[in-house]
Amino acid sequence: LGTSSICDADTHLPLLANLSMIVETVIRLRHLGHRVILVSSGAVGIGLRRLGIPARPSELALVQAIAAVGQGRLMALWDDLFGQLGQPIAQILLTRSDLSQRTQYLNACNTFEALLEMGVVPIVNENDTVSVGEIRFGDNDTLSAITAGMVHADFLFLLTDVDCLYTDNPRRNPNAKPITTVTDIGALREIVDVSSSGSSVGTGGMATKLIAAELATAAGVTTIVTHSANPGKIVDIVEYFSNPDVSPEAPAPNNVLCTRFVAMSRPMIDRKWWILHGMRCAGTIYLDAGAVVAVAKYKKSLFAAGVIGVSGNFSANQSVRIVYEVEKEEVSANDLELDNAKKRIMSAIPENKEVIEIGHGLVNYTSSEINRIKGHHSSEFHNILGYCDSDNVVNRGNLVITVPEHIIDDIFVTRVSKNKIRAEQRAPVPVTPA
C-alpha cells in the first residue's frame, strides 16, 4: 500500500473507508486459508497531519522526525481497525542493513514465519527514523518485493490508483490500451510510459512498481498491479489465477482486470536472491572482456587475473558490484569487419551508460588486497600478500550473474574477446597433491 492509498495527498487525512475495505479483504483472505503480510506506507503522511505541516519537507532529519511521529499513529490506526474484527497484528520495521548479514536475514525470515504460523498479520514498513540513503530500500514497492521474496510468497499485490498498466496515461490519452499479462518486463518498458512520479506525499510511481515486479518475479512471485480503491477484487484475482483450468493466455474478465507479471519458471535460489537484493553493495570490481566471458558464459569463478580495477572500500565477505567498463570509441564507416563488431557492441550497450553490470558477488579479499593481486595468477598470491586464503576473488557459488545472455553474446563472445580468455579463467588451477 502506497501513501496515496493510506491518506489524502492534500489534507493528509487517513482514508478510513479505503483502509476498512483493506482490513476486510485481509480478513476474508485469512478465512480462505491464505497467509497475508501487509507492507504499509503512510508514516510520513500521517505525521504531517498530526503536526499540522502542509507539505513534505526536503531535509532528511525533518522527514525522519515526522515519520517517527506518524509511525505510532499509523500502527494505532491499523490496530483499531483490525481489532474490531479480532485480528492480531505485528509491526516489523526494516532497513537494508538489517538484511545485509546472512544471520539477520534468516532471523527476519524466521520471524515472519513464526508470526504467520500464529495467525498474526505482520505490518511491514521501512524504518524511516534511522535509515539513510545508502541503506534505504527507497520506496515500499521495493520493500514489498524483497519481503515477498523472503517469505517465498505466491502473490505480491501492488495497489495503486489505476486498475492496471496502460500503454499511455488513460487520463490524457483515451486510446491508451490496458496491459493484462507481462512476461518480459524489459520489452514492456519500451511500450509503456512510466515517467510520472508518485503523489506529493509518496516516493513511488509506476516506475518503482516495474522494479518491484522485476525483483519479485525473479524470486518466483506472481506480481499483480491493481486499484487500491477496490481491494475486495484481490480475493477474486487470487481465486481466478489459482484455478488450474484457466488458460494463462486467455483475456481476464472485467471483475479481475489487473496487470499480472508472470513469475519466472526457474526462480533464483534463496542465497543468491539475498546476495543480489538483501545486501548493500560496498564497492565495485572492474573486469576485462575475457573474465566477463569466463564468469558469465562459462560459469567460472572470478579470478584475480581478470580483474583490472577496484573502487570503494570493502572487507571480505561483503557484496560488490561486478562490471565491465565500456570503451567509448567512434565507429569508422571504412573498417568493415571491426565495424560490425563495434556496431553490435554499441547497439547492445544501454544509452549513456559507461559500464555494463555483469553481476554481484561476495568477495574473498578486501578491496586493498584485490588492488594488489589484480591481474596476477593465484600462484603469486603468497609472494604478494604473504598468504593465500582462496585462489579466486569471488567463488562461483557466491556469484549472481545479472547481465542478459544476448548482451554477452553480442558484446563479449567475439573473436577478439575469445583470444583474451586466460587459461586460468577457462579452467580451475590444478592443485598439486601434498
Side-chain angles (χ1 to χ4, degrees):
L1 296 171
T3 301
S4 59
S5 303
I6 305 289
C7 60
D8 186 88
D10 298 321
T11 66
H12 307 142
L13 282 169
L15 304 175
L16 292 177
N18 202 26
L19 298 179
S20 298
M21 287 192 292
I22 289 165
V23 169
E24 291 173 2
T25 300
V26 171
I27 299 300
R28 284 182 62 194
L29 289 167
R30 294 270 302 119
H31 287 165
L32 291 171
H34 299 291
R35 307 197 298 176
V36 185
I37 295 173
L38 197 60
V39 181
S40 170
S41 303
V44 174
I46 297 292
L48 289 172
R49 175 68 186 180
R50 181 65 170 169
L51 296 171
I53 299 174
R56 181 189 180 111
S58 57
E59 187 179 339
L60 176 61
L62 286 178
V63 174
Q64 290 178 321
I66 292 168
V69 172
Q71 188 63 43
R73 299 291 300 172
L74 177 64
M75 286 306 299
L77 183 58
W78 282 123
D79 195 44
D80 286 342
L81 292 171
F82 276 105
Q84 297 297 320
L85 301 176
Q87 174 62 54
I89 64 172
Q91 180 184 31
I92 296 181
L93 297 176
L94 294 175
T95 63
R96 194 175 286 277
S97 61
D98 295 328
L99 309 180
S100 60
Q101 294 292 329
R102 182 67 175 167
T103 52
Q104 289 177 300
Y105 175 87
L106 294 176
N107 283 343
C109 293
N110 292 337
T111 300
F112 277 119
E113 185 63 29
L115 289 170
L116 293 171
E117 285 294 324
M118 292 189 295
V120 177
V121 174
I123 298 183
V124 185
N125 197 358
E126 184 158 14
N127 195 353
D128 290 315
T129 58
V130 299
S131 60
V132 294
E134 61 184 12
I135 62 170
R136 282 179 59 81
F137 294 103
D139 58 85
N140 273 15
D141 293 326
T142 301
L143 176 58
S144 67
I146 291 177
T147 302
M150 290 171 65
V151 300
H152 306 291
D154 297 302
F155 287 94
L156 166 64
F157 285 87
L158 302 174
L159 302 189
T160 183
D161 57 356
V162 289
D163 284 323
C164 61
L165 286 177
Y166 288 83
T167 53
D168 197 1
N169 190 330
R171 297 185 182 93
R172 296 194 305 260
N173 183 0
N175 296 321
K177 296 180 180 178
I179 298 171
T180 56
T181 304
V182 178
T183 55
D184 186 345
I185 297 177
L188 176 70
R189 284 194 172 96
E190 298 178 3
I191 61 172
V192 174
D193 178 20
V194 295
S195 58
S196 61
S197 61
S199 68
S200 60
V201 291
T203 59
M206 203 54 71
T208 63
K209 287 171 177 55
L210 290 191
I211 294 170
E214 214 163 17
L215 301 184
T217 54
V221 182
T222 298
T223 303
I224 308 287
V225 172
T226 189
H227 208 302
S228 61
N230 185 17
K233 192 167 68 170
I234 292 174
V235 178
D236 298 329
I237 291 172
V238 171
E239 289 181 348
Y240 180 82
F241 288 113
S242 298
N243 186 349
D245 297 330
V246 172
S247 171
E249 290 77 23
N254 287 334
N255 68 311
V256 292
L257 180 62
C258 63
T259 297
R260 179 173 62 106
F261 295 85
V262 180
M264 289 188 179
S265 56
R266 297 179 62 186
M268 207 175 286
I269 62 174
D270 182 65
R271 180 174 174 80
K272 294 199 172 186
W273 164 264
W274 167 68
I275 291 172
L276 188 57
H277 302 301
M279 299 192 73
R280 179 180 69 87
C281 269
T284 305
I285 293 179
Y286 298 86
L287 309 187
D288 64 20
V292 171
V293 178
V295 300
K297 186 73 174 176
Y298 297 113
K299 313 302 181 187
K300 303 298 181 184
S301 296
L302 173 59
F303 292 92
V307 176
I308 60 175
V310 179
S311 68
N313 295 314
F314 50 84
S315 305
N317 295 317
Q318 282 196 288
S319 175
V320 299
R321 187 166 169 251
I322 299 167
V323 303
Y324 175 79
E325 191 165 20
V326 177
E327 296 179 6
K328 297 291 185 182
E329 297 181 30
E330 294 294 331
V331 180
S332 169
N334 298 322
D335 303 328
L336 294 180
E337 183 181 353
L338 195 56
D339 224 10
N340 292 332
K342 285 184 178 179
K343 283 179 180 176
R344 286 201 309 273
I345 291 174
M346 299 309 291
S347 64
I349 295 170
E351 191 175 353
N352 298 326
K353 295 288 185 181
E354 295 182 354
V355 296
I356 299 173
E357 182 182 284
I358 306 303
H360 291 232
L362 298 184
V363 289
N364 295 323
Y365 293 94
T366 67
S367 53
S368 60
E369 290 169 337
I370 296 174
N371 252 326
R372 293 165 64 188
I373 62 177
K374 66 183 180 185
H376 291 275
H377 193 280
S378 55
S379 61
E380 302 174 73
F381 288 3
H382 269 289
N383 294 333
I384 299 171
L385 301 176
Y387 53 86
C388 180
D389 289 340
S390 173
D391 64 352
N392 56 63
V393 173
V394 180
N395 186 273
R396 179 65 207 169
N398 293 329
L399 190 60
V400 186
I401 301 301
T402 59
V403 62
E405 193 163 341
H406 72 272
I407 290 184
I408 293 296
D409 291 335
D410 287 346
I411 297 179
F412 300 104
V413 185
T414 61
R415 178 173 55 83
V416 176
S417 295
K418 285 179 181 177
N419 292 338
K420 289 185 178 179
I421 301 173
R422 295 174 173 83
E424 184 183 25
Q425 293 166 335
R426 279 192 174 277
V429 177
V431 179
T432 306

